[in-house]
Amino acid sequence: MADKSNRLRAFGNWLQAWRERLGALSDLRITLGVIALGAVIVVGLDPGRDVIRGMVDTANTRGNGAAGIPGDVRLQWFLFWFACLWTGVNAWYWSHLLYKARCGHGEPGWFRGFRRFLGIVPLVCAVIAMFMVAERGVADIWRAAALFSATAFALLVFFWWRGRLAERHPDAWYNQPVPFFATPEGEKTTAILRGDVAFIAASILLSILLLILFMIPGIRTEVAWTLGPAAIAFASIGCIIPLTSGVIWWGRRFELPVVTIGLAMVLLFSLWNDNHQIRVIDDQPNLAHRPQILDALKRWEELHPDQSDPIVLIATAGGASRAAYWTGTVLRALEDNDPSRDFPRDVFAISSVSGGSLGAVGYAAWIADHQYEEGRLPAPARQDRAEFVRTFFGTDYLAPAVGGLLFPDFIQRFLPGPWMPSRATSLEESWEKAWERSNAACAALSAAGPGHVCPTRNRMREDFLRIWEGVFDPGADARSRRWVPIALVNGTHVESGKRMITAPVKISSDVFEDSYDFYDSVQGPIRASTAVLNSARFPIVSPAGTLLNHGHIVDGGYFENGGMETLLDLARYIREKVPHRPIIIVEINNDDQAAAGDWARHPPGGEPDQGVAVRPVGDHDRSPFIGEIGSIVGGLYRTRDARGVLAAKRASRAQGRADADTESVDAGTRPAQSAASIDFIQFKLGKFASKQHTAMSWALSLGSRDRMDVVFNMKAEEVPDWLKGRGYSERRRAQAIADLQAVILCRPPPGETQVLSCPARENRAQMVVLQRLLPRRVGTGPPGTAPAAE
């Protein structure tokens, strides 16, 4: 018994000794926390890895501004490398300064080694992430991996050499103490040397400079695009370390519990320092006159006198830029495949969530910009539509959002008043500037050759309702005003958990049950970019929007991520008011990780009691991370997708007519439809191969965009010409051609033995079914003619 007590006592003494030894790390809690968080995001999370995947893709391009990348590719790589280097040096040196403030001189060997390890962690994490995302092995990353690895080794040599240099030259200028920082006589020695002051000044000044740049409207977006999301993320860690460490070092002189005080300030000031008010346009009149759904429906019927014309309703799910790009790709394909059908004219409304809302509103604004002029239809060329999708939906929106989050919004949490710009504004501004770039890209095409119609207005910066200006006017001539699909932008009201819909029509309870109209809670007009963000406020990238005396609005995916519940409400209402019209429900699903059971929908003409099997529950006996908290968060998060899947299955069950055989019906004929038929069409992104995952992020890699571009918009022989604008190196271009042709032809990509799914074949089949249900119109192509029903 005595031996056991002695062993326990010895173990306790050993733990106590380590506790005292590790006390030197107590001032590094913030430094260790932000570095660990950065490592987890870059190495452990899909959005972080996709940022590195994007860097790897751009490493194989030549020249500036590969499609959808506003900045210089080589400059972004240099800045990414410098940010990792900058962060590592800050972690290494500031941990030394904090040790001196706490314990004086004479660092133990273990602590010196630990500081050196911290100094190379950012570079090592970047290299690990490169290997994790390289789809074609070392060939894609060896130059970057070699540079980052060599830099990490050089840093270790520098850290060792810097210590020896200080010991050998004690009288050098950088080893001279600064009297201003001298500690009172009798206290432990914590002298700050001239070299320390130089480093402190440089690191804090650079941090303040970046903070200022991310606060200036217009400039902040250009700075973010120049740096890129990877450089911003690592640079922010390198700026947080000196700012927080400097405060801790200053507080150590007065024995202040700085970390505790900082947390108390964040909690207390959060009661009144909210800087996320919904933006309104103060200098423009309020165009809040919006028709009822019934009035809009009557206007749509005026444009469709043929009673057999179906009403098309679209639901597009959330998923950041992945959802926006896929939505734009699908809608572009439906126009490109057969322009004579004038597909946008048949779409009555698009219900959207999060990134799908950027796709829906962007598409509506694109239609509004291509209106009839003096009886002439400026039909956009196929190349114009493709360029619009690539430049607007493919732009990097993550960098401006991350810049706003990690610089002004981070500082704002410690301020007593709402003095810093919201990161929400940074994201909205990036959409506005991307629209300008999209117009400029079109203008460049127009200068290269005739036949291009290029808008000049910035639809994202204008009043949201101007997109539908004149569209709902009764009796307007179809030759002077084209129909623009109604965007039903779904958000979630925080205080009630109900839907809050932003739309150019009034949201009334007789149509949309138990839902709020956003315009009832805001004073004044809002920009189109703000309307999009009402649906895309998903944590942590974008904050909840504050409504004046009406609570807060967050991402529509909190309620249901598919936009299908709102569409089902609308379909039910249309069926009551217009029972003779066929209805086509189109689902645009961008989830490439869903199980087959979640993608499955009811077949046309299925028995009423026929259900879609739910996938079997997998082996999940392991306790979730952080136990009960993990269960709560995980369950709440996953219900967003589950409710969308459920609503889509219910919508597909409403089909009222068996589809005609798509192989036997002539391409020019429309299958017979009953007066009250409902057809369901599904377009899904799918997963192309085991290593080809499209992350849900506000930035997409070039490879992800390439695959969406060609999946059912292109023939295999068209791929080489399509890739000319990417700026790929010859080796990368040859690889991309092989990969993309495999996607189109449903073959295993190089290096794999099987095809996980065939979205190209499945989506093409669905497109054929949809277009055979739509009326063919004449006169939509050549100028000088107006559309008329066949």
Side-chain angles (χ1 to χ4, degrees):
M1 190 69 178
D3 290 342
K4 183 180 290 186
S5 299
N6 289 337
R7 285 197 296 270
L8 287 175
R9 187 175 294 107
F11 180 67
N13 292 336
W14 180 79
L15 290 177
Q16 184 65 29
W18 268 105
R19 179 183 177 185
E20 293 175 359
R21 182 177 297 180
L22 295 177
L25 301 179
S26 62
D27 288 338
L28 303 183
R29 285 171 288 179
I30 296 179
T31 297
L32 295 177
V34 295
I35 289 181
L37 180 62
V40 169
I41 291 174
V42 169
V43 176
L45 299 180
D46 276 338
R49 287 197 298 267
D50 202 56
V51 168
I52 306 300
R53 184 180 290 110
M55 295 295 297
V56 171
D57 276 355
T58 60
N60 296 285
T61 62
R62 296 173 177 173
N64 300 343
I69 301 174
D72 186 315
V73 169
R74 292 164 296 184
L75 178 60
Q76 286 195 353
W77 265 102
F78 170 77
L79 294 171
F80 177 38
W81 168 83
F82 180 78
C84 293
L85 177 64
W86 157 260
T87 299
V89 171
N90 268 305
W92 166 73
Y93 204 88
W94 276 99
S95 57
H96 164 69
L97 294 176
L98 291 177
Y99 185 91
K100 287 206 301 183
R102 182 180 181 89
C103 305
H105 289 286
E107 294 177 350
W110 72 269
F111 185 79
R112 190 178 299 113
F114 182 74
R115 288 198 302 113
R116 293 170 181 173
F117 169 74
L118 282 182
I120 64 171
V121 164
L123 291 160
V124 171
C125 286
V127 173
I128 293 174
M130 290 179 202
F131 278 97
M132 293 179 69
V133 303
E135 296 178 357
R136 299 166 188 84
V138 179
D140 274 354
I141 63 169
W142 71 268
R143 291 185 181 86
L147 172 63
F148 280 64
S149 300
T151 304
F153 178 76
L155 269 185
L156 288 176
V157 173
F158 170 75
F159 295 155
W160 175 85
W161 174 79
R162 174 65 178 80
R164 297 296 184 273
L165 186 67
E167 294 173 359
R168 294 176 182 175
H169 303 279
D171 297 330
W173 71 269
Y174 50 80
N175 279 330
Q176 301 304 308
V178 179
F180 177 79
F181 294 103
T183 54
E185 188 177 353
E187 293 188 8
K188 60 190 176 187
T189 302
T190 58
I192 296 299
L193 309 178
R194 289 184 177 179
D196 297 333
V197 172
F199 182 82
I200 291 172
S203 60
I204 291 181
L205 286 176
L206 183 54
S207 302
I208 293 175
L209 174 62
L210 284 174
L211 173 63
I212 293 173
L213 289 176
F214 279 112
M215 291 174 59
I216 304 174
I219 292 178
R220 60 191 171 200
T221 302
E222 297 295 339
V223 169
W225 281 340
T226 299
L227 293 173
I232 293 174
F234 279 96
S236 67
I237 296 173
C239 293
I240 289 172
I241 289 173
L243 293 176
T244 56
S245 298
V247 174
I248 292 172
W249 172 78
W250 174 81
R252 177 62 60 190
R253 295 169 58 87
F254 304 100
E255 300 298 329
L256 295 175
V258 172
V259 175
T260 302
I261 293 174
L263 291 175
M265 291 169 61
V266 170
L267 294 175
L268 179 62
F269 293 160
S270 66
L271 297 174
W272 56 76
N273 70 347
D274 182 6
N275 64 326
H276 304 309
Q277 294 282 341
I278 296 287
R279 284 200 307 167
V280 297
I281 309 176
D282 296 325
D283 58 348
Q284 291 189 19
N286 193 345
L287 299 178
H289 174 68
R290 296 171 299 141
Q292 299 286 348
I293 280 286
L294 183 58
D295 296 328
L297 187 58
K298 290 178 179 178
R299 171 59 181 153
W300 186 92
E301 287 219 286
E302 285 182 8
L303 299 175
H304 297 76
D306 186 342
Q307 298 300 303
S308 66
D309 285 0
I311 298 177
V312 179
L313 305 177
I314 300 176
T316 177
S321 284
R322 182 180 71 189
Y325 203 94
W326 180 239
T327 299
T329 298
V330 170
L331 298 176
R332 175 171 74 88
L334 294 173
E335 287 194 73
D336 285 349
N337 189 64
D338 190 353
S340 71
R341 297 190 186 274
D342 194 14
F343 175 70
R345 187 184 179 196
D346 293 318
V347 180
F348 179 69
I350 306 176
S351 173
S352 60
V353 175
S354 194
S357 294
L358 181 61
V361 175
Y363 178 70
W366 161 263
I367 298 301
D369 268 337
H370 294 79
Q371 294 292 341
Y372 300 107
E373 296 176 359
E374 298 179 356
R376 297 169 63 86
L377 173 60
R382 183 177 185 226
Q383 189 178 4
D384 290 341
R385 285 192 290 267
E387 193 66 24
F388 171 70
V389 172
R390 289 170 59 169
T391 55
F392 182 64
F393 297 125
T395 292
D396 168 23
Y397 298 122
L398 183 62
V402 171
L405 167 65
L406 297 178
F407 285 92
D409 249 2
F410 175 77
I411 298 297
Q412 176 60 62
R413 300 312 111 203
F414 299 92
L415 300 179
W419 301 326
M420 293 287 180
S422 170
R423 64 184 184 275
T425 307
S426 298
L427 188 53
E428 292 176 16
E429 184 181 275
S430 68
W431 293 331
E432 295 164 8
K433 293 186 74 66
W435 191 272
E436 291 178 356
R437 289 177 178 271
S438 148
N439 289 349
C442 181
L445 288 175
S446 181
H452 300 279
V453 179
C454 300
T456 56
R457 299 169 60 178
N458 192 325
R459 292 286 183 177
M460 287 293 115
R461 189 171 292 144
E462 291 182 355
D463 188 338
F464 173 58
L465 301 182
R466 287 192 183 276
I467 295 175
W468 293 270
E469 194 171 17
V471 170
F472 305 125
D473 295 345
D477 187 354
R479 296 169 61 91
S480 62
R481 189 65 189 173
R482 192 181 186 191
W483 174 261
V484 177
I486 297 169
L488 301 170
V489 183
N490 293 275
T492 304
H493 186 244
V494 173
E495 284 70 18
S496 66
K498 302 180 187 297
R499 286 174 294 173
M500 178 170 274
I501 304 173
T502 308
V505 293
K506 293 180 180 178
I507 304 301
S508 55
S509 58
D510 62 325
V511 184
F512 306 102
E513 289 192 76
D514 209 33
S515 300
Y516 292 122
D517 189 332
F518 169 78
Y519 277 95
D520 291 340
S521 302
V522 68
Q523 301 295 324
I526 62 168
R527 296 169 177 83
S529 60
T530 304
V532 172
L533 194 61
N534 282 348
S535 181
R537 293 179 176 272
F538 196 78
I540 297 291
V541 175
S542 48
T546 304
L547 301 162
L548 184 63
N549 300 322
H550 291 280
H552 302 81
I553 185 172
V554 290
D555 194 286
Y558 280 88
F559 184 87
E560 183 262 299
N561 196 47
M564 194 61 73
E565 288 288 354
T566 296
L567 204 72
L568 286 174
D569 281 345
L570 181 58
R572 172 191 55 79
Y573 181 79
I574 291 174
R575 175 56 67 239
E576 293 174 357
K577 300 298 181 182
V578 194
H580 56 277
R581 290 276 186 182
I583 295 176
I584 301 175
I585 295 177
V586 178
E587 177 195 9
I588 300 179
N589 188 318
N590 68 86
D591 189 350
D592 70 345
Q593 296 291 298
D598 288 342
W599 273 328
R601 301 292 180 260
H602 291 275
E607 296 297 326
D609 60 347
Q610 181 181 354
V612 176
V614 179
R615 59 177 175 169
V617 177
D619 184 6
H620 296 292
D621 292 336
R622 187 181 61 183
S623 175
F625 183 63
I626 322 181
E628 295 184 11
I629 296 178
S631 297
I632 294 171
V633 175
L636 289 174
Y637 176 77
R638 290 177 180 88
T639 55
R640 65 192 293 269
D641 290 322
R643 284 193 291 265
V645 170
L646 175 61
K649 289 182 178 181
R650 286 175 173 169
S652 68
R653 193 167 192 162
Q655 295 183 86
R657 180 192 54 77
D659 260 306
D661 181 358
T662 59
E663 298 297 329
S664 62
V665 178
D666 180 75
T669 63
R670 293 171 61 188
Q673 293 171 289
S674 62
S677 68
I678 296 180
D679 293 274
F680 185 88
I681 304 293
Q682 180 194 46
F683 296 106
K684 60 184 182 182
L685 178 59
K687 188 171 183 178
F688 306 104
S690 59
K691 295 182 180 180
Q692 295 177 347
H693 170 51
T694 307
M696 188 179 71
S697 171
W698 281 117
L700 291 174
S701 65
L702 279 175
S704 295
R705 282 177 274 153
D706 285 342
R707 289 187 284 272
M708 283 190 274
D709 283 338
V710 306
V711 66
F712 67 118
N713 273 322
M714 201 167 297
K715 298 177 181 178
E717 58 269 21
E718 295 176 327
V719 171
D721 286 339
W722 175 259
L723 292 181
K724 288 181 179 178
R726 291 304 202 206
Y728 284 136
S729 64
E730 288 303 318
R731 180 187 61 81
R732 176 68 175 88
R733 184 170 180 271
Q735 292 173 335
I737 290 173
D739 285 350
L740 298 178
Q741 288 181 339
V743 168
I744 295 171
L745 301 173
C746 295
R747 297 173 179 171
E752 301 210 14
T753 59
Q754 64 178 351
V755 177
L756 296 182
S757 64
C758 188
R761 180 182 298 135
E762 296 169 10
N763 288 319
R764 286 174 193 268
Q766 289 287 286
M767 180 168 61
V768 169
V769 174
L770 173 60
Q771 293 196 325
R772 287 173 179 167
L773 296 173
L774 299 175
R776 183 184 297 277
R777 297 185 175 89
V778 296
T780 56
T785 58
E790 191 177 40

